[in-house]
Amino acid sequence: MKAIKLLSAVGLTWLCATTLHAQETEIELDPITVTASLHPVSSSVTGRNIIVIKGDQFSKLPVNSVDELLRYLPGLEVQMRGPMGAQSDIVLRGGTFQQVLVILDGIRINDPNTGHFNSYIPIAPAEIDRIEVLKGASSAIYGSEAVGGVIQIITKSFAAKTGQKSKQLIAQGTAGQFGLLNGQFGGFYQNGNTAVSGGIISNNASGQQQRGTRGYLHNTSASVSINHYLDPYWNISYRSSFDRRDFAAQNFYTTFRSDTANEKVSTFWNQLKLAFEKEHQSFSVNLGYKAVKDQYQFNSVGTPNLNKSNLLQGLAIYKWLAASNTTITTGSQWVNKQMTSNDRGDHTLNQAGSFLIVDEKIGTHATVSPAIRVEWNERSGWQFVPQLNVSYKLPYWQLRGSAGRTTRDADFTERFNNYNKSFVQSGSIGNPDLASENSFSYEAGADFFGLKNLKLSATIFQQRFTKLIDYVTTPYAAMPRKENLSPTGTYALAQNIGQVNSTGAELDIQYSKKFQDNQQLWATFGFTWIDSKSNNTTPSFYLSSHAKYLANFNIRYTVNRFSFSLNGLYKQRTPQTSTAINADISTDYFVLNAQLQAFVYRNKVSIFTQADNLFDKQYSDLLGSQMPKRWLMGGFKVTL
């Protein structure tokens, strides 16, 4: 039955993409991207597999948060613990969730405490201009954590160019089952040299029934930004945002029956950018400060874990068009990470890096882009990180390849989780002696543009890890530190796994057409196969949790005053069981969301009805973290 559903989804997308006749395109199939090379170029000359989605898709698809939008993009696996922004782990190409770097307008937002917070992107959807997903190794440019890939959110104000005029206002309200009350509001305004944007999104629900608790959530993000051109060459941009998540976290991190946890995470983000661009050169300085307060309470009688982290960073980039076919980009980065915690202790870590990228066009069709980075970490020392990207572009084809080294240092949770407590009965234990993990990754792929409004991308890849960091079930006798542990406890120790090889293939389809009679179709589809092999006899936790087969898709069809949207995913993975809480990870699952929208005033004001998990599937992405079953809702949308 699962295979039939999967084939039906694939067939529907392919049918839409091959049988309809178009007049004009809605999206660019070879968009401009800045993520692959730090300066604007067409994706077809980067040598990389890149997905670009416009920010306005957020209001057109059945999604309620940014991580839900990412969940249905081709090739992304988003392992959700809770809905609507409660908590999600982002996985690319079968690695662990800490191996994806998330960037907001050029600088990292990955939290030094834990990669579990990487999906807490402190931005209102109204501010998003586009999202760029760069798949594969990127440490030569971005440093630590850019192992499986990079997700960059680019906002309207920071992307604004001088001399333009534009304004937009959006509002949406949603109500539904289980006490659901969601809302978002925001806008963008530019008049000449100044652009301003801002907005808020808030998702709230009493939640569906879980094991003795309800899966409640109160998640709110608010942001505001401004970009001002001082003259035709200099501009300064600033953003401030606040993000708060308050949610039920039962069995998010454990499979204990006594777990009735809740968690509150507050984020304060500030970003300042000064940029110069004139003729053949450009220069920018980007500064960021992030403060996070995390309070996690395992149950009503336990003492909450209180973790406070700070991330301070600076990034300077210089680009020079050295010749008509040669662009040189260089830069330096400094990052300071801090933590104070009653669970993990107090810690500080500094790291820095410098990089050089050369984009060389050879003849009419070929582009070669070597990059090197020198990375320093005060704990693990110096590392040299090289990478090479090549592309060969023909009228209807792009052939591409990439090879490079990656690196990642352990976060504070991997090093010190449960280290500062007086007694730990069972659970995940940090390891201060973890070495940095390294890998060598290579890929080859092709993109086909031969049919109008349709892009097909196929890629094969392999990642060869050494010292990969993950949690492994470890008996008490083998624990390196036993001071606060119980001889009868069950523990998962963060360890460096000797060797892990992940081999895979991915297929991405992007399609968009606009027809006569006010009809429009937009669709994306992705299929990924990954096979991971380890020399570790005991399977590690997060590495064994990724999907072996993953298919995800979006479809939106508009005709006259109606719009119908579907998104869904199929996942096959290793099954797991916990008898203590009567939970399991099924071999596979298929989940589908649907939305029907009717415009009541031109294309400006509409009402909609939506069903999340339309087939009422009971499933979990991670053992014990029960995802909601069918959830019905409806509301209104205004776009002016």
Side-chain angles (χ1 to χ4, degrees):
M1 183 64 182
K2 303 296 191 307
I4 293 174
K5 291 178 180 177
L6 172 60
L7 291 174
S8 298
V10 176
L12 177 60
T13 306
W14 179 253
L15 180 65
C16 291
T18 57
T19 61
L20 297 170
H21 300 282
Q23 278 198 318
E24 58 179 300
T25 184
E26 182 200 11
I27 62 171
E28 294 181 79
L29 298 178
D30 187 16
I32 299 297
T33 173
V34 298
T35 305
S37 57
L38 299 182
H39 63 89
V41 293
S42 297
S43 63
S44 61
V45 301
T46 62
R48 307 303 303 274
N49 189 10
I50 298 174
I51 297 291
V52 179
I53 183 171
K54 292 292 186 180
D56 61 6
Q57 298 301 333
F58 188 94
S59 63
K60 298 176 181 179
L61 294 170
V63 295
N64 303 285
S65 59
V66 176
D67 58 331
E68 288 187 357
L69 179 65
L70 296 175
R71 190 185 193 198
Y72 302 103
L73 296 187
L76 266 75
E77 181 181 6
V78 178
Q79 298 175 343
M80 300 187 72
R81 285 180 164 87
M84 304 182 189
Q87 193 180 101
S88 299
D89 295 341
I90 305 171
V91 176
L92 273 169
R93 293 188 172 176
T96 64
F97 64 92
Q98 298 99 331
Q99 294 176 346
V100 175
L101 182 64
V102 182
I103 295 174
L104 179 58
D105 285 322
I107 58 175
R108 62 175 55 222
I109 64 172
N110 286 37
D111 195 76
N113 179 2
T114 173
H116 291 311
F117 297 165
N118 292 348
S119 64
Y120 295 165
I121 301 169
I123 195 75
E127 283 211 76
I128 299 175
D129 178 72
R130 65 189 187 275
I131 299 174
E132 298 184 0
V133 180
L134 170 61
K135 301 179 183 180
S138 305
S139 287
I141 301 175
Y142 293 103
S144 181
E145 295 152 285
V147 178
V150 174
I151 297 173
Q152 177 160 204
I153 293 89
I154 297 168
T155 63
K156 296 174 183 177
S157 54
F158 274 60
K161 300 299 182 182
T162 185
Q164 298 178 348
K165 293 185 177 182
S166 179
K167 55 185 177 181
Q168 184 184 45
L169 183 69
I170 67 168
Q172 179 175 324
T174 307
Q177 292 178 293
F178 314 109
L180 177 69
L181 189 61
N182 297 347
Q184 61 168 302
F185 176 82
F188 171 75
Y189 176 80
Q190 181 177 2
N191 188 3
N193 294 332
T194 304
V196 180
S197 65
I200 184 171
I201 179 172
S202 184
N203 295 328
N204 305 272
S206 57
Q208 297 188 20
Q209 186 64 43
Q210 297 180 341
R211 185 179 48 80
T213 66
R214 297 185 70 89
Y216 78 88
L217 58 95
H218 302 288
N219 302 327
T220 300
S221 300
S223 58
V224 63
S225 59
I226 183 170
N227 180 5
H228 179 68
Y229 277 82
L230 305 172
D231 59 33
Y233 310 115
W234 287 93
N235 72 294
I236 186 168
S237 308
Y238 174 73
R239 162 171 292 103
S240 184
S241 58
F242 176 77
D243 182 279
R244 178 176 171 81
R245 318 275 168 141
D246 179 0
F247 50 89
Q250 183 176 63
N251 296 128
F252 274 25
Y253 312 111
T254 81
T255 55
F256 303 148
R257 191 165 186 82
S258 54
D259 185 343
T260 57
N262 65 80
E263 190 163 10
K264 299 178 177 66
V265 185
S266 300
T267 303
F268 181 57
W269 170 264
N270 281 277
Q271 181 175 354
L272 177 67
K273 181 179 181 180
L274 179 66
F276 168 84
E277 184 172 6
K278 183 178 181 180
E279 296 177 349
H280 302 312
Q281 58 184 334
S282 66
F283 173 76
S284 67
V285 176
N286 213 333
L287 304 175
Y289 172 72
K290 179 181 181 182
V292 177
K293 178 182 177 181
D294 168 40
Q295 179 177 301
Y296 170 80
Q297 188 166 16
F298 177 76
N299 56 33
S300 59
V301 299
T303 301
N305 293 348
L306 183 59
N307 309 306
K308 296 180 180 180
S309 61
N310 292 280
L311 177 67
L312 183 63
Q313 59 185 309
L315 173 66
I317 299 174
Y318 174 73
K319 185 199 76 171
W320 174 42
L321 183 62
S324 59
N325 293 331
T326 306
T327 302
I328 298 174
T329 306
T330 186
S332 295
Q333 183 179 37
W334 168 76
V335 179
N336 173 261
K337 302 176 179 180
Q338 301 176 18
M339 161 161 279
T340 60
S341 170
N342 64 347
D343 168 43
R344 296 158 173 79
D346 300 346
H347 309 281
T348 301
L349 181 70
N350 288 288
Q351 62 187 63
S354 294
F355 57 88
L356 174 69
I357 310 166
V358 179
D359 294 314
E360 180 71 26
K361 187 174 182 181
I362 302 174
T364 306
H365 304 291
T367 302
V368 178
S369 301
I372 55 173
R373 182 183 181 97
V374 178
E375 180 87 356
W376 172 79
N377 183 303
E378 69 173 311
R379 195 174 70 89
S380 55
W382 294 90
Q383 297 198 56
F384 178 72
V385 187
Q387 184 159 333
L388 177 65
N389 306 325
V390 297
S391 69
Y392 191 82
K393 186 178 180 182
L394 297 170
Y396 302 115
W397 288 91
Q398 174 202 359
L399 304 178
R400 50 183 166 77
S402 178
R405 185 172 180 266
T406 67
T407 182
R408 185 182 78 86
D409 193 54
D411 60 38
F412 288 137
T413 294
E414 291 170 317
R415 292 173 58 198
F416 302 110
N417 190 52
N418 279 326
Y419 228 68
N420 209 43
K421 289 184 176 179
S422 58
F423 181 72
V424 181
Q425 179 66 44
S426 295
S428 299
I429 305 298
N431 184 353
D433 297 325
L434 289 170
S436 294
E437 64 181 28
N438 297 283
S439 74
F440 183 78
S441 302
Y442 51 91
E443 64 183 80
D447 303 320
F448 176 63
F449 302 88
L451 298 176
K452 191 175 182 180
N453 306 316
L454 173 68
K455 178 182 177 182
L456 302 176
S457 300
T459 309
I460 56 174
F461 58 87
Q462 186 173 70
Q463 300 178 98
R464 306 176 69 89
F465 295 98
T466 57
K467 301 180 181 179
L468 184 141
I469 302 169
D470 203 357
Y471 291 91
V472 180
T473 300
T474 305
Y476 172 83
M479 295 295 289
R481 175 182 181 268
K482 304 181 177 66
E483 284 84 346
N484 62 342
L485 307 182
S486 168
T488 60
T490 302
Y491 300 103
L493 177 67
Q495 296 186 27
N496 286 113
I497 303 170
Q499 293 182 346
V500 177
N501 295 334
S502 295
T503 303
E506 56 195 15
L507 172 67
D508 302 338
I509 302 175
Q510 299 178 68
Y511 174 77
S512 180
K513 288 187 177 182
K514 190 173 183 179
F515 312 96
Q516 293 178 341
D517 301 323
N518 197 28
Q519 297 181 57
Q520 192 170 344
L521 178 68
W522 178 87
T524 65
F525 171 77
F527 178 79
T528 306
W529 164 77
I530 301 171
D531 182 37
S532 296
K533 298 185 182 301
S534 170
N535 67 350
N536 214 48
T537 55
T538 303
S540 61
F541 182 74
Y542 289 109
L543 190 65
S544 62
S545 298
H546 75 72
K548 183 172 184 179
Y549 296 100
L550 174 70
N552 45 13
F553 65 90
N554 294 283
I555 300 173
R556 191 187 77 251
Y557 179 68
T558 302
V559 55
N560 296 323
R561 291 182 174 271
F562 295 93
S563 177
F564 181 65
S565 302
L566 288 173
N567 58 23
L569 65 88
Y570 169 83
K571 183 183 295 188
Q572 185 184 110
R573 63 277 173 90
T574 303
Q576 302 175 43
T577 301
S578 173
T579 57
I581 56 174
N582 192 29
D584 62 11
I585 292 291
S586 59
T587 302
D588 59 4
Y589 73 81
F590 177 76
V591 63
L592 181 72
N593 307 319
Q595 183 185 98
L596 177 62
Q597 183 177 357
F599 294 93
V600 296
Y601 177 70
R602 298 181 180 177
N603 61 343
K604 307 296 184 183
V605 180
S606 64
I607 57 176
F608 69 92
T609 181
Q610 180 174 323
D612 288 358
N613 194 358
L614 183 64
F615 295 142
D616 203 27
K617 176 67 177 178
Q618 182 171 331
Y619 73 100
S620 297
D621 277 335
L622 292 159
L623 188 61
S625 300
Q626 181 179 325
M627 287 295 294
K629 299 183 73 177
R630 184 187 297 120
W631 204 330
L632 302 178
M633 61 195 74
F636 70 91
K637 301 179 183 181
V638 178
T639 303
L640 302 175

